[in-house]
């Protein structure tokens, strides 16, 4: 009798070991995960089936062009998949785009918000345009000409030495002059339509109907300040403002009015 009772106790202990808390919780967690995955799949195929896209923040590419770069893969109509993919594995090779985010405006509408690359100006090499930021670093190389971006000509650049994120391959003196001119034009509220370098020794610019001949890079800050004051008084006249011979001592500035 005692032996039978012992065998029964042993079987009960084995059953208790078979249904341990770990196994119980593991099974329930696994079941919950399966249900969650199935729910996501169902929602993705129904509620989050994307029917429209809105692109914000981009002026260089069209909305359709941005969409073609961003919305890729087999599940283009699956908005939830596209949003998750943009977070886990975003693209970094979209022209003129620094970064982007995807979000839901509605369950069936996705907003693509673009952060464009900075374009302080571009250097025309004759083959491709080298775009740069306010620090003089290359942000994009493209045949595309972007409206309302400052064109810079007269600089001989080897495209093989150009890479995104690196400084534009010009002398330090030329780079400094270029960036100072852009900064000073903006500081004095002057219109800047183009900058032209000549033989790496002198520089000209165009502001509306006024051609500005600065001569050498020397005293470029002072020349800019005086050019701003003079242009204000020209009242829409057309011609060339000669500042090639200006120095703190001579102060020789001539305006050659065009007929």
């Amino acid at each position: 009798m005692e032996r039978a009772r012992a065998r029964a106790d042993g079987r009960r202990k084995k059953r208790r070991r078979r249904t341990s808390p770990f196994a119980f919780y593991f099974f329930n967690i696994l079941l919950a995960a399966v249900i969650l995955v199935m729910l996501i799949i169902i929602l993705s195929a129904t509620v989050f089936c994307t029917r429209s896209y809105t692109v914000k923040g981009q002026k260089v590419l069209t909305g359709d062009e941005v969409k073609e770069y961003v919305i890729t893969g087999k599940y283009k109509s699956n908005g939830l998949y596209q949003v998750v993919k943009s977070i886990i594995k975003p693209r970094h090779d979209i022209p003129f785009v620094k970064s982007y985010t995807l979000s839901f405006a509605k369950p069936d509408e996705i907003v693509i918000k673009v952060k464009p690359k900075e374009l302080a100006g571009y250097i025309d090499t004759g083959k491709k345009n080298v775009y740069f930021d306010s620090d003089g670093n290359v942000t994009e190389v493209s045949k595309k000409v972007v409206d309302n971006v400052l064109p810079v000509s007269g600089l001989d650049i080897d495209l093989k030495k150009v890479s995104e994120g690196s400084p534009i391959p010009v002398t330090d003196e030329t780079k400094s002059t270029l960036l100072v001119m852009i900064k000073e034009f903006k500081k004095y509220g002057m219109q800047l339509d183009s900058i032209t370098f000549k033989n790496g020794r002198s520089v000209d610019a165009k502001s509306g109907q006024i051609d500005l001949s600065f001569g050498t890079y020397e005293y470029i800050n002072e020349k800019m300040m005086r050019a701003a004051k003079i242009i204000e008084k020209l009242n829409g006249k057309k011609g060339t403002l000669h500042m090639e011979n200006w120095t703190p001592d001579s102060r020789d500035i001539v305006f050659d009015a065009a007929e």
Side-chain angles (χ1 to χ4, degrees):
M1 186 72 178
E2 290 181 357
R3 291 181 181 177
R5 188 176 298 167
R7 285 196 295 271
D9 290 342
R11 285 195 294 270
R12 281 196 294 270
K13 289 179 181 179
K14 288 181 181 179
R15 283 199 294 271
R16 281 198 294 270
R17 283 197 294 268
R18 290 195 197 102
T19 57
S20 66
F22 173 79
F24 174 79
Y25 287 117
F26 176 79
F27 174 78
N28 282 277
I29 290 172
L30 181 61
L31 180 61
V34 172
I35 294 173
L36 180 61
V37 170
M38 292 179 64
L39 182 61
I40 290 174
I41 293 173
I42 293 170
L43 289 174
S44 298
T46 54
V47 178
F48 295 103
C49 183
T50 306
R51 293 177 174 81
S52 63
Y53 294 88
T54 301
V55 178
K56 296 182 178 180
Q58 180 56 265
K59 296 181 180 179
V60 179
L61 303 178
T62 66
D64 287 339
E65 286 174 328
V66 172
K67 179 185 170 184
E68 285 297 316
Y69 278 109
V70 174
I71 308 301
T72 58
K74 297 180 180 179
Y75 310 105
K76 292 184 178 182
S77 62
N78 190 324
L80 190 58
Y81 169 81
Q82 294 295 335
V83 170
V84 173
K85 187 183 73 171
S86 72
I87 297 172
I88 297 175
K89 193 177 180 182
R91 292 193 63 167
H92 300 287
D93 60 344
I94 305 176
F96 301 100
V97 174
K98 184 175 182 179
S99 62
Y100 65 92
T101 58
L102 268 64
S103 60
F104 287 102
K106 299 176 183 177
D108 63 347
E109 180 184 352
I110 283 181
V111 175
I112 305 173
K113 190 174 182 180
V114 173
K115 183 178 182 180
K117 293 178 180 177
E118 183 186 353
L119 306 176
Y122 70 88
I123 300 170
D124 183 359
T125 68
K127 295 180 180 179
K128 290 184 178 181
N129 298 316
V130 179
Y131 290 86
F132 58 89
D133 60 19
S134 55
D135 293 321
N137 296 320
V138 178
T139 54
E140 189 69 51
V141 180
S142 173
K143 291 182 178 180
K144 191 178 185 70
V145 176
V146 180
D147 294 336
N148 301 317
V149 178
L150 173 69
V152 179
S153 59
L155 294 176
D156 187 17
I157 288 182
D158 185 356
L159 286 174
K160 294 179 181 178
K161 296 180 179 180
V162 174
S163 61
E164 189 174 325
S166 299
I168 51 178
V170 296
T171 65
D172 291 341
E173 189 179 20
T174 298
K175 177 183 172 182
S176 175
T177 299
L178 172 60
L179 298 182
V180 164
M181 289 182 69
I182 293 174
K183 179 182 177 181
E184 293 300 305
F185 265 93
K186 185 176 181 180
K187 175 181 176 181
Y188 294 113
M190 296 169 63
Q191 178 181 340
L192 181 57
D193 298 313
S194 66
I195 294 178
T196 303
F197 286 87
K198 295 181 177 179
N199 302 317
R201 294 191 298 271
S202 63
V203 62
D204 296 340
K206 188 172 182 63
S207 177
Q209 299 187 90
I210 306 297
D211 292 320
L212 301 165
S213 183
F214 291 107
T216 62
Y217 304 159
E218 196 174 14
Y219 305 119
I220 191 66
N221 295 67
E222 293 86 345
K223 291 176 182 178
M224 292 288 300
M225 182 176 66
R226 281 152 181 80
K229 294 179 179 179
I230 294 171
I231 289 176
E232 285 181 358
K233 301 175 181 179
L234 292 177
N235 297 321
K237 292 182 179 179
K238 184 178 181 181
T240 303
L241 188 62
H242 293 278
M243 307 188 72
E244 304 97 314
N245 300 319
W246 187 92
T247 67
D249 297 325
S250 70
R251 301 176 183 272
D252 187 8
I253 299 175
V254 176
F255 178 65
D256 185 11
E259 297 181 0

